[in-house]
Structure formats: C-alpha cells, structure tokens
Amino acid sequence: MFTSEFMTKFQTLWNQDETIPSTLKSINFSANVGYGIKREDQPKTVLIIKEGSVVDAKVYEGEELDWDIRCSEDNWKHYMVKGMGMSQLASGYAMGWLKFIKGDYFSMIKNPRMIGPFIKSFELMSKVYTELNQ
C-alpha cells in the first residue's frame, strides 16, 4: 500500500468519488495526511488535500503533516481486505491498532462531514489494494 502506484490510484479514485471531495470542500478541508507503520519514525506516504480534492499523493518526503495515521503492517492489510466501518474504527482506536500520531480523532468522529469521507477513504484504499494484489 505504500507505493507511488498505490497512491496515484488512490488519488484518482478519491477525486472521482461522488461524495468525498464535495463533502470535504463544504467544510474547507485542506490537509496533509500521512500514512505509515506504527513505531517507524516517519510515515510512508502522504495525501495532500486542498479544499477536499487530492492534489498530490506520493511517497512521504518530509512534508508537514496535519494528520499522521499509523497501523502495524498486519492491521493495514486487515483494513485493506476487510474494510473499515464505524465499529472497526472505534475498536481499532480503542485497542491501539489504529494510531493518530497527529490529528484530532475525537473532533473527526463527532463531525459527520469528516467521518464519512474518512471511512469511505478506507473503502477506496481497499479497492486499490485489491486491484494491485490480484
């Protein structure tokens, strides 16, 4: 999941999605979101979002992050195969399987215009993961 090819496909699906860009644009959401492995110094990849749309998705090169999301490799694979819903998000966070090194988890889950796109982004990542691992 942490490759340039993965991130390029993820960006395309994100920007083509009927709800994610428009929902995030409605709240003026812009952020650099890092994805990586727990206990590593830095994330593997970064998604650069401006007004809800992804303008760049790539291997992390030291960009300042607003969100930094980490899992073990096994947990990332689990979420890519099984998906992510509200209950998986809550249990993953509570059990420490899904870590937010940066970003406000609690403000996100209280805001439907943030949590919906977050959950849907995992669905898109899962589609890319499945496509690349067939």
Side-chain angles (χ1 to χ4, degrees), residues 103-117:
D104 188 349
Y105 170 79
F106 292 106
S107 70
M108 178 188 65
I109 63 169
K110 293 176 188 174
N111 185 341
R113 294 182 297 177
M114 285 183 74
I115 191 62

Side-chain angles (χ1 to χ4, degrees), residues 1-2 33-40 42-44 65-73 75-76 79 84 88-106 108 118 122 125:
M1 136 172 205
F2 302 112
V33 182
Y35 301 94
I37 306 297
K38 283 185 356 183
R39 295 189 254 325
E40 290 189 0
Q42 60 187 23
K44 298 283 190 187
L65 298 174
D66 302 293
W67 296 82
D68 187 351
I69 303 165
R70 307 289 182 96
C71 290
S72 69
E73 288 186 54
N75 285 345
W76 276 121
Y79 293 131
M84 167 81 71
Q88 291 86 358
L89 174 61
S91 63
Y93 182 81
M95 299 299 291
W97 299 326
L98 178 70
K99 292 275 190 192
F100 288 77
I101 306 299
K102 280 191 97 173
D104 188 349
Y105 170 79
F106 292 106
M108 178 188 65
F118 182 80
F122 273 80
M125 283 190 268

Side-chain angles (χ1 to χ4, degrees), residues 13-122:
L13 288 179
W14 178 294
N15 288 335
Q16 290 174 347
D17 188 81
E18 295 180 9
T19 58
I20 293 176
S22 60
T23 301
L24 293 176
K25 184 175 183 173
S26 74
I27 59 171
N28 301 311
F29 185 84
S30 296
N32 291 354
V33 182
Y35 301 94
I37 306 297
K38 283 185 356 183
R39 295 189 254 325
E40 290 189 0
D41 291 337
Q42 60 187 23
K44 298 283 190 187
T45 58
V46 61
L47 197 67
I48 300 172
I49 304 163
K50 300 286 185 214
E51 296 294 316
S53 294
V54 176
V55 297
D56 204 0
K58 61 184 186 162
V59 172
Y60 179 73
E61 298 174 328
E63 294 82 1
E64 181 67 30
L65 298 174
D66 302 293
W67 296 82
D68 187 351
I69 303 165
R70 307 289 182 96
C71 290
S72 69
E73 288 186 54
D74 287 343
N75 285 345
W76 276 121
K77 287 177 187 172
H78 173 82
Y79 293 131
M80 294 304 101
V81 172
K82 301 286 186 183
M84 167 81 71
M86 280 300 295
S87 61
Q88 291 86 358
L89 174 61
S91 63
Y93 182 81
M95 299 299 291
W97 299 326
L98 178 70
K99 292 275 190 192
F100 288 77
I101 306 299
K102 280 191 97 173
D104 188 349
Y105 170 79
F106 292 106
S107 70
M108 178 188 65
I109 63 169
K110 293 176 188 174
N111 185 341
R113 294 182 297 177
M114 285 183 74
I115 191 62
F118 182 80
I119 296 292
K120 185 126 189 219
S121 73
F122 273 80

